[in-house]
Amino acid sequence: MKCKRCKAQAVVALPSHNTAFCEECFYLFFTRQVETAIRRQKMFGPDDRILVALSGGKDSLTLMLELALQGYDVTGLHIDLGIGESSIQARAKVEAFCRKHSLNLRVLETASVGLAMPDVKKYIKRPVCSVCGKVKRYYFNKVAREEGFDVLATGHNLDDEAARLFANTLRWDAAYLSDQGPSLPAAEGFVRKVKPLYRLTEFETANYAFLKGIEIHSAPCPYSQGASFTNHKQLLGELEHRSPGSKFAFYDGFLRNGRPAFQLLEEEQGDELAPCRECGSPTSTELCGVCRVRMALSEKKREAGELA
Amino acid sequence: MKCKRCKAQAVVALPSHNTAFCEECFYLFFTRQVETAIRRQKMFGPDDRILVALSGGKDSLTLMLELALQGYDVTGLHIDLGIGESSIQARAKVEAFCRKHSLNLRVLETASVGLAMPDVKKYIKRPVCSVCGKVKRYYFNKVAREEGFDVLATGHNLDDEAARLFANTLRWDAAYLSDQGPSLPAAEGFVRKVKPLYRLTEFETANYAFLKGIEIHSAPCPYSQGASFTNHKQLLGELEHRSPGSKFAFYDGFLRNGRPAFQLLEEEQGDELAPCRECGSPTSTELCGVCRVRMALSEKKREAGELA
Amino acid sequence: MIHVRLEPEAKDIELHRIKTVLGLLNRLELRPTMALVVRDGCLLTPDRRLYNNDHVLVRTVTSAG
Amino acid sequence: MIHVRLEPEAKDIELHRIKTVLGLLNRLELRPTMALVVRDGCLLTPDRRLYNNDHVLVRTVTSAG
């Protein structure tokens, strides 16, 4: 297979775009997809300060490197969840990556704010993955706001976004469907959130990470019950295989024609948000979810004699 | 496997309902699903005159028989498309079925109104399946209105409805999504349309037809490019297999939470309908689709020297 | 060995080492709710045993429309 | 015969009668966009030939999160 642009030996074949590229031309393709995402979804400009959520996986590190190469002002934020060897390794990968490429990095340890995940798993009855996701989103937003960043960027790719959309659609969850997308504007208490890789598939980010020599953290979290949305990703993968391009068409069509309907519905019926009485973050209840978990955890640990 | 109700040898196992039935108890289950559909979706009452669209397939004949057994006032309408041996066989099956069960039947030949499908295929450049569907819907509605029926019933089952919904959702077609459902109220120029089998799967209607000894017309139409929505049915079948009940949940959730959003959107943006200047049927253009096809066909045939 | 009539394809095949309806469906790559399985005019659930020289009808249910 | 390293499972297997990357992916029941295939540090497209005694890395791309 030859590169469609320069006719050299191709290293990446992309059926959904009906094309194939050599390494250099693949970078060009990749960069243009990110540029198009940033421009069309009005994500940010050259003067914005961007906080990039870094888990250590291929997508977040790819995003960080690509934005830096495009000249944006990026700072990484890694949240250390304190889950034994897994968290230690993920953090080490992120730190080595940022050192190698001379990129700014902040690390926040959830244990330091009373939310070590092993404690959550031990004392809180709710599914740990759901609490963990909530805690991460909360602190990404909090750090971005408190340190004056203009926008929070995450490494979600097209497969992540399409699988999440598929799950929300199967349940017809109007609230989520009104509020899912690659670029969510700032709102009272929430920093702007963007997903510059939403036009690129998992396969494309994996190729980029491999070609750029990014050492990724790929061990699954020991608490995870298997990959989230994996079934949906497989079904959508099947659909894409039979009809290349249909995954992007599904997601893009939603942004154009689906989401507006649910936004209209939510305007008529949606919950009002008000500041949490503990931390000031926007919430539809009096006390926000993260403050509730933090308080419950501290009480349970006191009962168990682990706190003074 | 034993019947969950009476402990006799089961003949039908239904994973989505986590149950199995003998023949008699399966009929009871089937009847109750149809009764629930009619009641919850306010389809019709005991005094309504019901026109049932009969293609000759298992679903339409099953619907006709079950409604007759429940004591409803039903009349069948078969549309003879004039497609050679295929149409002859389908019509023969429908006529034999109605004779056997002493059911009222009307037959309309599209050739008699200038719309024989072989001519459409020969002279009209649009996909014949799309024109054929349009013509059938048009005459089902026209006969129902002109002959004073209260409601038109079609044999669409849960798989048909879920696959169509899936296709409309993948494209996020807001107009179709605002207007899909098992019970569409009468509107200016349109008779009420209902799908009393929408809670029953293709597997369930196939079992019913087999057990009732219904001789079905199962040869595919010679013009068809393979079964419509078959890929989508397979994907949804996979989803259902992994998570029994998810097909109905997808469709039912749409009716509760998805459709209202698109109806709201269409109220703000939708096309206005007005009577067709030729036939009076409601249309968003001056001349309705069927009249346009009929005129084009008659002109092409005149040019070809087939009409005076 | 069992004799299998496939519908609507109207094709006859013979299969070996099949012990149950579920085994037959798996061999044909059909999910249990994708086909009716009939022996001597009676519908069979997936758990039913099949025997040597059984004649079985397998009718897939997806409508051809 | 070719030697295959599977990631992220960290498993080594050997496969026979494989002539192309596509054939390798098919044998592993992977669609072409579900995995990277690497030989001597270089990415291979599905049409590339594989040779006897090749050492190949197959890394599935679906993130484990």
Side-chain angles (χ1 to χ4, degrees), chain D residues 2-65:
Chain D
I2 61 166
H3 308 265
V4 181
R5 168 72 173 186
L6 300 175
E7 288 193 357
E9 299 91 329
K11 218 174 103 184
D12 293 295
I13 60 173
E14 293 174 349
L15 293 174
H16 296 262
R17 290 185 305 283
I18 299 276
K19 297 209 181 311
T20 66
V21 170
L22 186 60
L24 170 62
L25 291 167
N26 284 341
R27 187 74 68 83
L28 297 170
E29 299 193 333
L30 291 168
R31 300 288 190 200
T33 59
M34 284 166 70
L36 308 186
V37 180
V38 182
R39 181 180 56 197
D40 299 333
C42 290
L43 286 170
L44 303 178
T45 51
D47 60 310
R48 295 292 290 275
R49 294 261 340 198
L50 295 177
Y51 301 96
N52 206 18
N53 274 316
D54 268 358
H55 284 73
V56 174
L57 163 70
V58 175
R59 179 186 285 172
T60 54
V61 302
T62 298
S63 53

Side-chain angles (χ1 to χ4, degrees), chain A residues 174 178 259-272, chain B residues 264 268:
Chain A
S178 72
R259 193 170 61 170
F262 292 99
Q263 285 174 335
L264 200 61
L265 191 72
E266 282 297 300
E267 274 173 30
E268 301 212 341
Q269 314 181 339
D271 285 339
E272 288 288 327
Chain B
L264 200 60
E268 301 214 340

